[in-house]
Amino acid sequence: MLRSLNSGVSGLRNQQVRLDVIGNNIANVNTVGYKAHRVNFQEQFSQTLRGGSAPSGALGGTNPTQVGLGVTVGSIDLIQSQGSLNPTGKNTDLAISGEGFFIISDGKQQVYTRDGAFDFDRSGNLVKISNGFRVMGWNAQMQPNGSATVDTSRVPEALVVPAGTTLNPQPTSYVKLGSNLEQQSPAGNEARSSISIYDSAGNVHKGSVVFERDAVVNTWNVSFIPDDQTMFDTTGAGWSGVTTRELALGNITFDDKGVLLNNAVSTLDLTPSALNAGKFSNLSITLDVGTVGKTDGLTQFADPKSDASTGYYNHTAVMVDQNGFSSGALSGVSIGSDGKMMGIFTNGRTRILGQVAMATFTNPVGLAVNGDNIFASTPNSGEPQVGIAGSGSRGLIAPGTLENSNVDLASSFADLIVAQRGLQSNSKIITSSDEVLQELMSLKR
């Protein structure tokens, strides 16, 4: 009789564990990045009343006779399925679409999370808001040429964007020109393209690149005229003119079809005048007029808007791009699907600031739950495989979103009913056993 009591007690105890797990799942239905759990039961052990026997002679074999002695929890499994993504509109909120975990640290240990509710603290650290753990990745490193790069082969470190981050000015070293020079232009006719040039101090200077039709067929002489005639030293070789200082730069030639045939334009070298000495460094600027044999820069096609009878020739030469800029202060940060953190500066430029790291595991369901939406590695989870989003089996990052809990409320309520019935059934075993024991005790009277 005690066997049934023990079975009922073990059933009550372990069905209660199932209720605890289901209740925890339901309680965390709105917890960011929460992963549901499930309970698997198994028979505790059995008492053998009679062993089995093999067939012998005219007798057949017999099966073992055993009585089960209750139930126990076989496992509580972590369900690592994807939760739905919920847009938040906050650019530092991050979710993972696919496999992987964000890596966070308190300075003593690295742990993992799917909760991407991140923000910057007053020191510029990217942190998990709920507990201040710092988000790990790779900070950008400045290069001698002023650019910034991220080396993801290094060990991840805490991501930080210090307050007051600025972008130093970059002098112009490249100007690309494009569009069309009118094919019907007579010798001596000019086309001008206004360009902007930044010096090493971040000051912008205006000027014009002048294209003058040469007497040689399909050839244009190229020169530069600064808007401010006092800004640059115009006394050196190559400068001409009395009231307007013009720097000769060479020439370009087109074939009969209007495609660039030859580029003999020299580098635009500018030296500050005595009036501006020490204010900025010498400038050496490459003028890109296109690729010889292609139409990716300047061309010489006939334009229907031109009217030779009125002396009007439609030139459309313009500055397409230049690589200089003034200084700028950090005004915002955006994070891409690959985890790259781009700084947005007040001068309109962007620069990479760092990249968020991600980790995957051979057996993610083997991770230990540490609370606060944090997982820790275990011997059965495997070692973290660290890399960037979108590489290997790692999912992509969805900026401006958070991952919802993967709890299925409908299934949870159904499981809740089943667990409740299990508790009631096991309590019935105990009351029935108690009634039988009472009957046995009454036999003594």
Side-chain angles (χ1 to χ4, degrees):
M1 193 58 60
L2 292 178
R3 284 194 297 258
S4 62
L5 279 172
N6 288 333
S7 294
V9 169
S10 68
L12 281 176
R13 183 184 299 116
N14 290 289
Q15 289 293 342
Q16 181 60 56
V17 172
R18 188 181 187 191
L19 273 178
D20 293 341
V21 170
I22 296 170
N24 186 60
N25 286 340
I26 294 174
N28 284 281
V29 68
N30 290 319
T31 300
V32 175
Y34 176 77
K35 299 303 177 184
H37 295 73
R38 71 178 182 193
V39 176
N40 292 319
F41 293 128
Q42 66 183 24
E43 187 178 15
Q44 191 167 13
F45 55 88
S46 297
Q47 181 178 13
T48 301
L49 302 180
R50 185 180 65 191
S53 61
S56 176
L59 296 176
T62 60
N63 297 323
T65 302
Q66 296 175 292
V67 177
L69 298 178
V71 66
T72 189
V73 173
S75 66
I76 300 177
D77 299 333
L78 184 63
I79 309 300
Q80 288 281 13
S81 60
Q82 173 83 52
S84 61
L85 303 186
N86 179 40
T88 65
K90 183 179 180 181
N91 62 350
T92 55
D93 283 343
L94 305 179
I96 299 173
S97 178
E99 295 184 28
F101 298 84
F102 298 113
I103 307 171
I104 57 177
S105 174
D106 62 355
K108 299 177 182 178
Q109 62 172 339
Q110 287 192 165
V111 290
Y112 312 91
T113 185
R114 296 277 296 194
D115 178 1
F118 301 146
D119 208 340
F120 292 99
D121 65 13
R122 71 175 187 178
S123 298
N125 301 301
L126 185 61
V127 300
K128 188 173 183 290
I129 299 172
S130 62
N131 58 13
F133 278 47
R134 298 174 69 179
V135 181
M136 307 299 285
W138 301 274
N139 291 302
Q141 297 175 309
M142 295 302 299
Q143 302 301 311
N145 63 1
S147 65
T149 60
V150 171
D151 182 5
T152 58
S153 66
R154 296 185 294 115
V155 175
E157 59 193 351
L159 290 170
V160 58
V161 180
T165 296
T166 59
L167 190 62
N168 294 333
Q170 176 175 299
T172 299
S173 62
Y174 169 87
V175 171
K176 182 172 178 58
L177 300 168
S179 208
N180 192 60
L181 300 175
E182 171 55 55
Q183 189 181 63
Q184 303 175 61
S185 297
N189 188 262
E190 286 186 354
R192 296 196 176 202
S193 174
S194 296
I195 65 172
S196 298
I197 297 170
Y198 289 87
D199 63 31
S200 57
N203 303 306
V204 63
H205 308 286
K206 303 286 187 178
S208 297
V209 177
V210 181
F211 301 91
E212 181 184 7
R213 187 68 179 259
D214 193 85
V216 178
V217 178
N218 297 331
T219 298
W220 298 75
N221 297 316
V222 184
S223 59
F224 171 72
I225 301 176
D227 284 2
D228 185 348
Q229 294 286 306
T230 66
M231 184 59 62
F232 301 107
D233 181 5
T234 58
T235 60
W239 291 97
S240 62
V242 179
T243 58
T244 300
R245 297 295 181 177
E246 187 171 354
L247 180 62
L249 296 175
N251 60 69
I252 55 175
T253 305
F254 299 91
D255 62 19
D256 292 337
K257 296 180 180 179
V259 178
L260 189 65
L261 179 65
N262 182 56
N263 176 16
V265 176
S266 63
T267 302
L268 175 56
D269 293 317
L270 300 173
T271 303
S273 63
L275 183 66
N276 296 283
K279 293 183 179 179
F280 59 91
S281 303
N282 295 349
L283 296 172
S284 182
I285 304 167
T286 299
L287 291 180
D288 181 2
V289 297
T291 307
V292 172
K294 296 185 178 181
T295 57
D296 58 356
L298 289 171
T299 57
Q300 183 189 264
F301 299 136
D303 193 304
K305 294 181 180 179
S306 292
D307 187 350
S309 65
T310 62
Y312 173 73
Y313 301 97
N314 190 36
H315 305 289
T316 55
V318 294
M319 182 181 77
V320 177
D321 190 23
Q322 64 84 34
N323 65 344
F325 48 82
S326 60
S327 62
L330 184 67
S331 61
V333 176
S334 66
I335 302 176
S337 61
D338 57 358
K340 286 182 179 177
M341 297 188 344
M342 302 299 297
I344 303 169
F345 293 84
T346 53
N347 59 2
R349 295 282 171 161
T350 60
R351 190 189 78 193
I352 188 166
L353 302 175
Q355 189 159 9
V356 178
M358 279 179 57
T360 54
F361 294 86
T362 305
N363 178 33
V365 298
L367 293 170
V369 179
N370 280 12
D372 200 12
N373 297 353
I374 289 174
F375 300 97
S377 60
T378 68
N380 197 40
S381 67
E383 293 297 317
Q385 305 299 311
V386 179
I388 62 175
S391 67
S393 61
R394 301 172 195 89
L396 294 173
I397 291 176
T401 64
L402 291 174
E403 182 183 4
N404 291 330
S405 163
N406 67 351
V407 173
D408 184 338
L409 270 182
S411 296
S412 295
F413 284 135
D415 291 342
L416 195 63
I417 294 171
V418 173
Q420 181 184 8
R421 294 293 181 260
L423 272 171
Q424 291 173 338
S425 300
N426 281 281
S427 65
K428 190 64 176 176
I429 294 172
I430 294 173
T431 56
S432 297
S433 299
D434 179 56
E435 289 174 3
V436 173
L437 283 174
Q438 296 248 1
E439 286 294 321
L440 286 175
M441 293 296 292
S442 66
L443 294 177
K444 294 169 60 179
R445 298 190 189 96

